[in-house]
């Protein structure tokens, strides 16, 4: 493994860090409190090229590698996980899927504005009764000749209200099981497509999570991605890359909380010395730094395999499983190190602790990651 980052990768990381510190940080507490989507900030993030980082420049993207994406995701997530989930979904679930499997017409029409950050996208798989068990889609896309008739409900959709382009997974032929599922590109404003209530969430409260309803929406045949029945594999392949994004988000939440805890421990005194000089705190910091570095290595390994064109499904599940565990555990420790200050909103770490939890749930729960990992290990 080559641990040396290139100058380009370091420049991307520094640009993301500057943006996070200067643009995202000032309003992050208010946005969390008010559940306000970072609309202007996301627009700027798009203008800087962070919403289509890995897309080929001929489709308006940044043409960067997945390692750069991990570095940028960590920096943005250190400060604002509500903004970084928008970035992760747009880059890895929407742009990647369209670029990899879309037709040239679909790329020109949908990918170009998404990659340039003019609009944002959403990935719609979860349903009231199908999250982990993704083959059990109740949403139907009935083949009507030159269009599909789409009916059903999708739940907990990130960017649900703010997106313009939605990739919707639906069942066309239930008898065929996962081979009867399709992915359709749905535009906001299509007749019968209704954006439902916004969720009131524990964490990532600045992000825009909605229920979506489809009532006899006519989706043109040319909006299907891939061959008939490719939708489930499309979702699985896309989620493998998405998990690198969420693993990096978890890494950023953990490292952001660690940096705050480290700084605080050098300022705060108790029993005649700064608390970092007490072994109880110093050992917590040692554990945090070690686990965060291990999470970073797993994220970079998954990204490196992706950049090399190798299979990264196992590595991305491992990265997500471990990084999200580290994020949850180490944000709790960051609150503990801050004591009473950690429990109040102006010190950021309580928000990070709340934000961390979702990384163990979305884009495949930790239990789903263990299914993916163990099945790979036990495969004959
Ligand atoms: N890449 C490509 N193909 C994949 C794949 C991947 N990462 N994972 C599975 N597949 C393929 C399998 O090879 C199989 O194809 P064949 O029948 O042609 O061999 C097909 O997809 C079905 O796979 P499998 O039998 O493993 O499906 P299961 O129903 O057992 O489900 C899990 C497997 C649980 C791993 C899957 O449903 C999953 O990832 N669920 C979580 C979904 C999720 O992340 N939800 C959150 C919503 S998005 S916020």
């Amino acid at each position: 493994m080559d641990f040396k980052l290139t100058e380009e990768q370091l420049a991307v990381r520094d640009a993301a860090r500057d943006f996070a510190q200067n643009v995202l940080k000032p309003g992050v507490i208010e946005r969390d409190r008010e559940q306000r989507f970072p609309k202007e900030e996301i627009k700027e993030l798009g203008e800087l090229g962070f919403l289509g980082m890995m897309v080929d420049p001929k489709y308006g993207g940044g043409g960067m590698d997945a390692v750069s994406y991990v570095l940028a995701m960590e920096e943005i997530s250190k400060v604002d996980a509500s903004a970084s989930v928008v970035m992760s979904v747009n880059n890895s679930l929407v742009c990647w899927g369209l670029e990899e499997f879309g037709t040239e017409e679909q790329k020109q029409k949908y990918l170009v504005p998404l990659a340039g950050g003019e609009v944002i996208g959403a990935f719609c798989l979860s349903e009231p009764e199908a999250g982990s068990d993704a083959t059990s889609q109740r949403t139907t896309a009935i083949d009507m000749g030159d269009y599909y008739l789409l009916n059903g409900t999708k739940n907990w959709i990130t960017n649900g209200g703010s997106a313009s382009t939605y990739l919707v997974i639906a069942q066309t032929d239930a008898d065929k099981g996962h081979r009867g599922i399709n992915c359709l590109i749905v535009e906001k404003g299509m007749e019968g497509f209704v954006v439902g209530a916004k969720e009131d969430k524990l964490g990532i409260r600045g992000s825009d999570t909605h229920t979506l309803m489809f009532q006899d929406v006519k989706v043109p045949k040319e909006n299907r991605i891939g061959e008939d029945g490719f939708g489930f594999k499309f979702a699985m392949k896309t989620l493998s890359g998405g998990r690198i994004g969420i693993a990096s988000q978890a890494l950023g939440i953990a490292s952001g909380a660690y940096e705050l805890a480290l700084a605080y421990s050098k300022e705060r005194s108790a029993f005649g010395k700064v608390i970092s000089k007490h072994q109880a705190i110093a050992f917590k910091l040692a554990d945090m730094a070690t686990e965060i570095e291990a999470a970073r290595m797993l994220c970079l390994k998954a990204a490196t395999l992706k950049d090399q064109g190798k299979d990264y499904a196992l590595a991305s599940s491992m990265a997500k499983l471990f990084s999200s565990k580290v994020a949850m555990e180490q944000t709790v420790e960051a609150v503990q190190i801050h004591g009473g200050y950690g429990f109040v909103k102006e010190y950021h770490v309580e928000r990070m602790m709340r934000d961390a939890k979702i990384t163990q749930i979305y884009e495949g729960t930790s239990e789903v990651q263990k299914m993916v990992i163990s099945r790979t290990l036990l495969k004959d």
Side-chain angles (χ1 to χ4, degrees), residues 123 125-126 131-132 134-135 178-179 232-233 236-237 239-240 243 313 362-364 368 371-372 375:
F123 182 83
L125 174 69
S126 295
S132 296
T135 53
H178 74 77
R179 292 191 182 83
F232 185 75
K233 287 208 174 162
M236 290 299 107
K237 286 172 187 277
L239 280 165
S240 290
R243 289 165 187 165
Y362 59 19
E363 298 198 28
V368 162
M371 282 171 74
V372 173
R375 283 182 187 186

